[in-house]
Amino acid sequence: DAGVIQSPRHEVTEMGQEVTLRCKPISGHNSLFWYRQTMMRGLELLIYFNNNVPIDDSGMPEDRFSAKMPNASFSTLKIQPSEPRDSAVYFCASSTRGRAPNEQFFGPGTRLTVL
Amino acid sequence: AQTVTQSQPEMSVQEAETVTLSCTYDTSENNYYLFWYKQPPSRQMILVIRQEAYKQQNATENRFSVNFQKAAKSFSLKISDSQLGDTAMYFCAFMKRGTQGGSEKLVFGKGTKLTVNP
């Protein structure tokens, strides 16, 4: 299995630009998570989906952030407009229902730098 | 809301020795899972070990074992025979048990940076 795939691996952009991060979960997994890692706040959940439906988006910082999961094999996290404080590593993870205790498999992360 | 606390920002150990990383958590849930993840410099998140709260027996995975004290809400990780490849950030994480086996989010501690010295 290829594991969770994220693209791009690195992204450098200027403040005000739109950024789109992409994730392909492991085939057959029905839950998908977006986490953000920063020095100040550590690892925190942004949003997660079960069966393509958003379940908990309480970690999404503000309206500039949006996430979609149009089908079981693809998800996007969009930031528009981006700000320097959005600089972080963004991880996508997936897991499969019923396989206790619901191990989450992480992608390699996308390092975002907003100048 | 659940919280996870790792009180040791950094630790170091000599190769082949044993080290214990501390983790405490706070929750009102009775059914939950606990995890230790390793993040080497490559930044890949790797599951080290997991514990189901209803199990009294401490989990072990080769050189890694945990000391799970449910009443004290403590979940420490012991690494035996430390190897240079164990150098990494280690994160303790909590997950409440989902309904009908569904997945829930991980709540992470701030991490402990472990350095294994030759």
Side-chain angles (χ1 to χ4, degrees), chain A residues 9-10 30-31 33 35 37 39-45 48 50 56 58 89 91 95-111, chain B residues 32-35 37 39 41-48 50-52 54 89 91 95-111:
Chain A
R9 293 292 305 276
H10 300 90
N30 68 310
S31 295
F33 303 80
Y35 293 92
Q37 184 176 30
M39 289 295 292
M40 290 296 295
R41 299 176 65 89
L43 273 156
E44 53 184 353
L45 179 84
Y48 79 94
N50 279 346
D56 182 352
S58 60
V89 178
F91 287 100
S95 67
T96 183
R97 179 188 180 95
R99 184 176 173 177
N102 304 118
E103 177 182 351
Q104 293 183 17
F105 296 83
F106 283 75
T110 294
R111 179 176 292 280
Chain B
Y32 53 87
Y33 310 110
L34 296 163
F35 304 83
Y37 277 87
Q39 187 179 41
S42 66
R43 81 167 180 248
Q44 179 69 50
M45 294 291 288
I46 302 165
L47 179 65
V48 174
R50 61 190 139 194
Q51 176 79 41
E52 295 162 61
Y54 68 87
M89 284 289 290
F91 293 95
M95 179 197 295
K96 70 177 184 179
R97 183 182 173 91
T99 56
Q100 300 178 345
S103 291
E104 295 285 340
K105 66 182 182 184
L106 287 165
V107 177
F108 289 92
K110 289 294 178 66

Side-chain angles (χ1 to χ4, degrees), chain A residues 43-65:
Chain A
L43 273 156
E44 53 184 353
L45 179 84
L46 297 176
I47 185 171
Y48 79 94
F49 299 82
N50 279 346
N51 298 316
N52 311 339
V53 176
I55 302 300
D56 182 352
D57 65 355
S58 60
M60 296 287 265
E62 50 201 88
D63 292 346
R64 297 185 299 107
F65 285 68

